[in-house]
Amino acid sequence: MRWKCTCSYDGSDYAGWQKQPEQLSVQQVIEGVLAKLLKEPVAIQGSGRTDAGVHALEQVFHFDWDWRHGGKSLVKALHALLPKTIRVESAVEVDAAFHSRFSAVSKRYRYRLKLGEADPFQWPYCWPVPAQLDLNLLHAAMQALVGKHDFAAFAANRGSGLEYETTVRQLTEAKVSQDGDFVDLFFRADGFMYKMVRSLAGTVVNVGLGRLPLSEMVALLSSAQRAPLVQAAPARGLYLEKVFYS
Amino acid sequence: MRWKCTCSYDGSDYAGWQKQPEQLSVQQVIEGVLAKLLKEPVAIQGSGRTDAGVHALEQVFHFDWDWRHGGKSLVKALHALLPKTIRVESAVEVDAAFHSRFSAVSKRYRYRLKLGEADPFQWPYCWPVPAQLDLNLLHAAMQALVGKHDFAAFAANRGSGLEYETTVRQLTEAKVSQDGDFVDLFFRADGFMYKMVRSLAGTVVNVGLGRLPLSEMVALLSSAQRAPLVQAAPARGLYLEKVFYS
């Protein structure tokens, strides 16, 4: 039987989602706990990677195991064994045709900015930017990104080990939301490339700070070429918020 | 000249305030940064210790140095060098008679409870307790602590390396405040002993959960004897909130 699980994690202390040699990843921790629980190695498949330091509010993974005690007891057993920085929130039995990555139709990321300085407790969870950030300009820059575009200018291939069949993605939502001194950027698309959200966030913030004219950002998008002008925002402000399935 | 500084820190990754061999303390990090800035070793004096994992919203320390560029520039220079989990918020020149520890007239601590489970982002900053915690009982337990008492029952001498002249303290404030799923306990006194706040928090929570009758807590306080019944709440929920000077 196939289990679909959702989990949240504080990515601060992990080398990202994906298992890799000699570094502690979220996937590795969960697989380790499952192996302990089920007394055999189990491979889990995530909906996608998150980078080192990136957080998740609702990452999805699946795995196959003949667990006969129901989803609630699986969640309870995992809770007892997992570190507190990783929580499996739900486990439901799904059809064998379900695949956490290939069945996903879209994903939403949140990028959290802090206007002004971050205190020691906010620091691991946001990116502090100068308070003179122009929210109207920021909003305009976000709106210019919505739609179907070749986002090659905002993809970092180098170091990702990933080859993309296409760099065209459909961004269906690019929203700005303010909550006191925090400003959240929401990005929803049918898919994201390596460092794409952080590159988009870094760029719209540069527009909002008056460091990059909006017209240049639009030209950059049209160019479909990665440029040194595009700087990725730090990982710690980024959250995988939700994975959508049809 | 003498400088009085206030600082905040996320204690998660530090072995407490006090300098000690082979472990990274907040004091050691600040002294290291000052030595780098001033090109000579400088000793700082904190208002008191905080345990490993305990946070501070406004710890106070002082040091003597002939710094001629004003408090603002000192704060700015420290900010550039300190890790983001420690922030020096202010630096003001004070009279040589000022002493961060001996001039303090009282301190306020906050202990943060979470009703129900903590998510991965809340975990390092609170103590999750069962949601059936009775806030009226908790409040009554807190009120029973107010006043001048021998708090020996709530002091942990062992391992502290501290000898107390007296275990009598005056608790002037013991307040409960709810903020959604968070419940904050505030303790203000003329002084606190090693693990005293955490022992008080652990005990009033046991009363609020119906595990310890209020009358037994009162008897415990009167006994002025440490008992195994007294369990210290975890360090991560505790914040040194403010140090008061006359």
Side-chain angles (χ1 to χ4, degrees):
Chain A
M1 54 178 66
R2 178 155 290 188
W3 290 94
K4 175 194 176 193
C5 298
T6 59
C7 66
S8 58
Y9 46 85
D10 179 338
S12 306
D13 295 335
Y14 298 102
W17 168 265
Q18 187 87 354
K19 212 159 47 165
Q20 47 189 299
E22 289 176 42
Q23 283 186 294
L24 193 67
S25 66
V26 177
Q27 182 186 7
Q28 188 187 334
V29 171
I30 296 177
E31 287 184 350
V33 162
L34 276 172
K36 207 166 168 178
L37 182 65
L38 307 172
K39 317 256 186 274
E40 260 184 71
V42 186
I44 66 173
Q45 169 69 52
S47 75
R49 306 175 176 194
T50 55
D51 278 358
V54 172
H55 313 295
L57 301 175
E58 202 180 300
Q59 165 73 294
V60 177
F61 65 88
H62 78 260
F63 68 98
D64 296 314
W65 195 266
D66 194 22
W67 171 268
R68 295 279 166 197
H69 314 293
K72 276 196 178 171
S73 75
L74 182 60
V75 166
K76 207 173 165 188
L78 290 175
H79 266 216
L81 294 168
L82 281 168
K84 300 298 182 181
T85 45
I86 303 176
R87 298 282 86 184
V88 169
E89 318 279 2
S90 74
V92 290
E93 204 188 328
V94 288
D95 193 89
F98 174 85
H99 190 287
S100 61
R101 185 168 156 216
F102 301 126
S103 305
V105 292
S106 68
K107 283 182 187 173
R108 192 163 60 207
Y109 279 93
R110 184 180 93 185
Y111 196 93
R112 174 150 269 213
L113 309 171
K114 169 83 202 295
L115 299 178
E117 293 212 25
D119 72 30
F121 306 98
Q122 299 162 340
W123 177 260
Y125 308 112
C126 63
W127 180 31
V129 297
Q132 64 260 38
L133 182 74
D134 183 326
L135 291 186
N136 289 327
L137 255 178
L138 186 70
H139 177 76
M142 289 289 276
Q143 284 316 300
L145 296 169
V146 175
K148 197 169 186 171
H149 303 286
D150 185 338
F151 283 98
F154 302 97
N157 273 54
R158 245 184 308 181
S160 74
L162 298 170
E163 291 296 318
Y164 301 108
E165 271 181 50
T166 169
T167 47
V168 173
R169 297 288 185 279
Q170 177 137 23
L171 194 73
T172 51
E173 188 188 327
K175 216 178 68 183
V176 181
S177 162
Q178 189 170 13
D179 172 15
D181 285 342
F182 290 103
V183 174
D184 290 316
L185 310 176
F186 293 92
F187 298 92
R188 181 171 172 178
D190 53 358
F192 291 92
M193 291 171 286
Y194 182 57
K195 286 201 180 167
M196 179 171 148
V197 184
R198 290 163 56 194
S199 300
L200 291 174
T203 304
V204 294
V205 164
N206 271 338
V207 172
L209 288 172
R211 293 174 184 164
L212 179 75
L214 180 51
S215 57
E216 274 195 44
M217 190 201 84
V218 173
L220 207 55
L221 177 62
S222 306
S223 78
Q225 295 247 312
R226 179 86 190 179
L229 213 57
V230 174
Q231 287 154 358
R236 64 181 184 278
L238 184 59
Y239 300 73
L240 171 56
E241 213 206 5
K242 199 172 169 62
V243 187
F244 296 89
Y245 297 93
S246 56
Chain B
M1 54 178 70
R2 178 156 290 190
W3 291 93
K4 174 194 177 193
C5 298
T6 59
C7 66
S8 57
Y9 46 86
D10 179 338
S12 306
D13 296 334
Y14 299 102
W17 168 265
Q18 187 87 354
K19 213 161 43 166
Q20 48 190 297
E22 289 175 43
Q23 283 184 297
L24 193 67
S25 66
V26 177
Q27 182 186 7
Q28 187 188 334
V29 170
I30 296 177
E31 287 184 351
V33 162
L34 276 173
K36 207 165 167 180
L37 182 66
L38 307 172
K39 318 256 186 271
E40 260 185 68
V42 186
I44 65 174
Q45 169 69 52
S47 75
R49 306 175 177 197
T50 54
D51 278 357
V54 172
H55 313 295
L57 302 174
E58 203 181 300
Q59 165 73 294
V60 177
F61 65 87
H62 77 260
F63 69 96
D64 296 314
W65 194 266
D66 194 21
W67 171 268
R68 294 279 164 197
H69 314 291
K72 275 197 180 172
S73 75
L74 182 59
V75 166
K76 206 173 164 187
L78 290 175
H79 265 216
L81 294 167
L82 280 168
K84 300 298 180 180
T85 46
I86 303 175
R87 299 281 86 184
V88 169
E89 318 280 2
S90 74
V92 289
E93 204 187 326
V94 288
D95 193 90
F98 173 85
H99 191 286
S100 60
R101 185 168 155 217
F102 301 126
S103 305
V105 291
S106 68
K107 283 182 187 174
R108 191 162 62 205
Y109 279 92
R110 183 182 92 185
Y111 195 93
R112 173 150 271 213
L113 310 171
K114 169 83 203 293
L115 298 178
E117 293 211 28
D119 73 29
F121 307 97
Q122 298 162 340
W123 177 260
Y125 308 112
C126 62
W127 180 30
V129 298
Q132 64 261 36
L133 183 74
D134 183 327
L135 292 186
N136 289 328
L137 255 177
L138 186 70
H139 177 76
M142 289 288 277
Q143 285 315 300
L145 296 169
V146 175
K148 196 169 187 171
H149 304 285
D150 185 337
F151 282 98
F154 302 96
N157 273 55
R158 244 184 307 180
S160 74
L162 298 170
E163 291 295 320
Y164 301 108
E165 270 182 50
T166 168
T167 47
V168 174
R169 297 287 184 279
Q170 177 136 23
L171 193 74
T172 51
E173 187 188 329
K175 214 177 68 181
V176 181
S177 161
Q178 188 169 12
D179 171 17
D181 284 344
F182 291 102
V183 174
D184 290 316
L185 310 176
F186 294 92
F187 298 91
R188 181 171 171 176
D190 54 357
F192 291 92
M193 291 171 287
Y194 183 58
K195 286 201 182 167
M196 179 170 149
V197 184
R198 290 164 56 193
S199 300
L200 292 173
T203 305
V204 295
V205 164
N206 271 339
V207 173
L209 289 172
R211 295 173 182 162
L212 179 75
L214 180 51
S215 56
E216 274 194 44
M217 189 201 85
V218 172
L220 207 55
L221 178 62
S222 305
S223 78
Q225 294 246 314
R226 179 85 190 181
L229 213 58
V230 174
Q231 287 154 358
R236 64 181 184 279
L238 184 58
Y239 301 73
L240 171 55
E241 214 205 6
K242 201 173 167 61
V243 187
F244 296 89
Y245 297 92
S246 56

